[in-house]
Amino acid sequence: MAKIETPRPIRGTQSMLGEEQERFAHVVATFDRVRRLYGFQRVELPVFESTAVFARSLGESTDVVSKEMYTFEDRGGDSLTLRPEFTAGICRAYITEGWQQFAPLKVATHGPLFRYERPQKGRFRQFHQLDAEIIGASEPGADVELLVLADQLLKELGVSEGVTLTLNTLGDAASRDAWRAALIAHFEAHRDQLSEESLDRLSRNPLRILDSKDPRDRPVADSAPDIDAYLTDEARGFFEKVTDGLNAAGVAWERNARLVRGLDYYRHTAFEFITDRLGAQGTVVGGGRYDGLIENLGGPVTPAVGWAAGIERLAMLIDAPRADMIISVVPDNLEVEDEAQRIAAQLRASGISADVAFRGNAKKRVELAKKRKHRGVLIVRATSDQTGKLYLQHLDENQSDRDEVRTAVLLALGPGTNLSGGGPR
RNA sequence: GCGAUCGUAGCUCAGUUGGUUAGAGCGCCGGUUUGUGGUACCGGAGGUCGGGGGUUCAAGACCCCUCGAUCGCCCCA
């Protein structure tokens, strides 16, 4: 009989359980809470779109479009693509779903994205992002609000210590074009000093040479002109209003004149929240303003700004979230199993998580509760003596945790409950 | 697409310069003991050492190929 081969998981995908999943869920839950504080509506979007949605908006020559997209033909012969990012799909929906009537529209979402890349630390083929966008707002105040939102999110996740906001402006179209031309001239003049990779960038995406990690490129990149000299008055004023707003809101930031974005659609504000705690993947949140994108998709001229954050990356940075409080209800013997179910139901009705172990004798069930990291064991004894009927054994180390469990259980079972108690020996 | 490192039980790993029937802990299954309560004892199942080829009297160890993982380059959240 031939051995049945178990299908392997797809490279770069993850299946999460336990702490890994709890970290992930905590990041999402925190985002969902904070985005509400800023009045961002949750939107639901398809995971795949017509290939043109991404090809047109991201730029044909970007790596994402040219070699990283999961693109396939459906049975009808249409070219579809699993979304490699959120922004393009949101903009498509803004145009096709009539969302223009709600402008300026503040939306947030999160979910899986797909890029055909070589996996490494903090990088996956199916990965997950948080996303926040403001569509139909040309005011710098929109940029500020998004950055303040991101800043608060990182603070509430407890990771702001190791993460810094780096900020740059790419100017308006006129500034950007003038700067780009000056950069190309500069790099052309020093071709002989650039790495092979940067020579390739020079023809594909010259701005990218600025943040090259190759030490051979640094002298040329560092001596390249900043955008500041090419900024129009309008673009300069815009950037100042953004930075003033951040200062007023108490958001710490650093100017990085070398910061550029990988995708073609960015204008004006560009930013990354970066850390050195994730190996080669330094960016935790990245985004900026993309005033031309919706037009590129055939929509009306619509200014917009947004960011995305890697959920896996944030999950790696946060402290392990505290597990939910679960009380294990253990019947002393078969006789009181139904009584244990009744008590568990009472706990759950009061919002306390309860688990009734169904395997093994009482001792085994207590051991299992300990192993599952439950907070306490409520032992139900077969006795007519009300004083000895319920016994709460704590599994927490410190007294305040024990008090929390005891108070919760007493509250759920009602006043006057006779609850003898003990702790770990 | 390129580079480095690594693949031994379900999991975490030992395995000495190549040398008998490949080990441990945890987990799993069974049993003993205990019996107002989490750490006891005994036993068992489970590995064609990622796969294929080669060197050798002899390969888990050495060589080649292949697949996979990890980390880095590229790119990006």
Side-chain angles (χ1 to χ4, degrees):
Chain A
M1 202 162 67
K3 186 176 191 286
I4 298 173
E5 285 282 329
T6 302
R8 305 325 305 170
I10 304 302
R11 162 177 275 205
T13 61
Q14 310 170 84
S15 302
M16 294 180 256
L17 175 72
E19 184 185 318
E20 195 182 13
Q21 191 281 332
E22 280 166 24
R23 287 169 170 274
F24 190 99
H26 180 69
V27 170
V28 172
T30 304
F31 172 67
D32 208 48
R33 181 167 53 77
V34 175
R35 62 97 180 153
R36 285 171 196 271
L37 295 175
Y38 289 75
F40 280 69
Q41 299 182 65
R42 162 90 198 193
V43 285
E44 305 293 345
L45 298 158
V47 169
F48 54 178
E49 297 270 0
S50 290
T51 300
V53 169
F54 307 110
R56 257 183 238 153
S57 56
L58 304 191
E60 298 280 0
S61 68
T62 59
D63 278 23
V64 171
V65 172
S66 62
K67 51 190 190 194
E68 294 175 2
M69 294 204 305
Y70 277 94
T71 296
F72 59 96
E73 252 186 36
D74 73 2
R75 289 171 189 273
D78 295 324
S79 179
L80 308 183
T81 294
L82 300 182
R83 63 187 180 195
E85 59 129 41
F86 278 118
T87 305
I90 292 175
C91 289
R92 185 236 85 214
Y94 180 83
I95 301 167
T96 63
E97 307 304 308
W99 293 354
Q100 299 159 58
Q101 64 186 305
F102 304 117
L105 180 64
K106 304 200 295 186
V107 294
T109 192
H110 61 83
L113 303 168
F114 306 85
R115 299 219 283 236
Y116 191 86
E117 294 187 279
R118 194 74 171 266
Q120 60 189 67
K121 189 183 178 80
R123 200 173 75 182
F124 308 92
R125 286 189 171 177
Q126 177 179 333
F127 60 107
H128 303 79
Q129 286 184 351
L130 312 171
D131 187 274
E133 315 276 349
I134 302 181
I135 305 177
S138 60
E139 297 81 358
D143 306 48
V144 173
E145 180 161 303
L146 274 164
L147 284 163
V148 177
L149 165 60
D151 186 67
Q152 180 168 354
L153 173 67
L154 296 176
K155 280 185 176 132
E156 302 226 357
L157 287 171
V159 302
S160 56
E161 287 300 309
V163 180
T164 48
L165 166 57
T166 60
L167 192 63
N168 197 17
T169 177
L170 304 174
D172 48 27
S175 313
R176 195 183 198 231
D177 291 347
W179 183 43
R180 185 187 165 95
L183 282 174
I184 292 173
H186 173 81
F187 293 133
E188 286 289 358
H190 299 89
R191 283 190 77 93
D192 51 323
Q193 298 164 48
L194 289 172
S195 65
E196 308 79 58
E197 267 160 5
S198 283
L199 286 175
D200 186 43
R201 290 185 182 111
L202 185 50
S203 52
R204 267 183 22 252
N205 194 353
L207 300 204
R208 276 273 143 198
I209 300 175
L210 283 178
D211 58 359
S212 168
K213 285 185 205 164
D214 193 319
R216 290 173 294 171
D217 292 327
R218 289 319 318 168
V220 182
D222 290 337
S223 63
D226 283 348
I227 192 171
D228 297 39
Y230 301 89
L231 287 178
T232 60
D233 290 345
E234 194 199 339
R236 186 187 319 280
F238 188 95
F239 190 54
E240 272 167 21
K241 281 185 182 147
V242 172
T243 56
D244 288 350
L246 291 177
N247 294 336
V251 175
W253 59 277
E254 286 174 10
R255 174 76 194 274
N256 177 5
R258 263 51 192 147
L259 173 65
V260 293
R261 305 261 65 221
L263 308 176
D264 283 355
Y265 51 63
Y266 287 102
R267 297 287 180 279
H268 285 294
T269 321
F271 54 86
E272 290 182 356
F273 288 77
I274 57 169
T275 180
D276 57 7
R277 293 200 277 151
L278 285 179
Q281 267 60 48
T283 305
V284 184
V285 182
R289 180 161 277 281
Y290 51 92
D291 291 349
L293 174 52
I294 291 174
E295 215 180 335
N296 280 350
L297 283 172
V301 174
T302 309
V305 54
W307 56 249
I311 297 178
E312 288 89 349
R313 293 184 185 180
L314 288 170
M316 285 188 276
L317 289 176
I318 62 174
D319 293 334
R322 180 142 199 211
D324 293 338
M325 180 170 87
I326 300 178
I327 305 299
S328 205
V329 181
V330 173
D332 198 22
N333 55 41
L334 293 175
E335 212 179 314
V336 284
E337 278 205 319
D338 289 344
E339 176 66 0
Q341 287 293 356
R342 191 189 65 77
I343 288 167
Q346 204 177 339
L347 288 172
R348 291 167 184 149
S350 309
I352 304 210
S353 304
D355 175 70
V356 183
F358 40 73
R359 171 168 303 174
N361 57 25
K363 177 174 180 156
K364 279 269 196 290
R365 297 187 197 196
V366 172
E367 285 173 12
L368 203 60
K370 164 70 175 174
K371 206 182 305 174
R372 296 276 187 268
K373 296 219 160 38
H374 292 174
R375 299 282 300 281
V377 179
L378 190 59
I379 290 156
V380 183
R381 294 175 189 146
T383 168
S384 51
D385 173 14
Q386 283 304 305
T387 347
K389 189 178 145 199
L390 293 176
Y391 180 91
L392 178 64
Q393 183 185 9
H394 290 286
L395 298 176
D396 286 309
E397 293 295 323
N398 71 63
Q399 191 58 46
S400 67
D401 287 344
R402 292 177 178 208
D403 289 345
E404 184 194 2
V405 168
R406 189 175 186 83
T407 306
V409 170
L410 280 174
L411 199 66
L413 298 183
T417 303
N418 240 315
L419 193 62
S420 55
R425 282 191 298 200

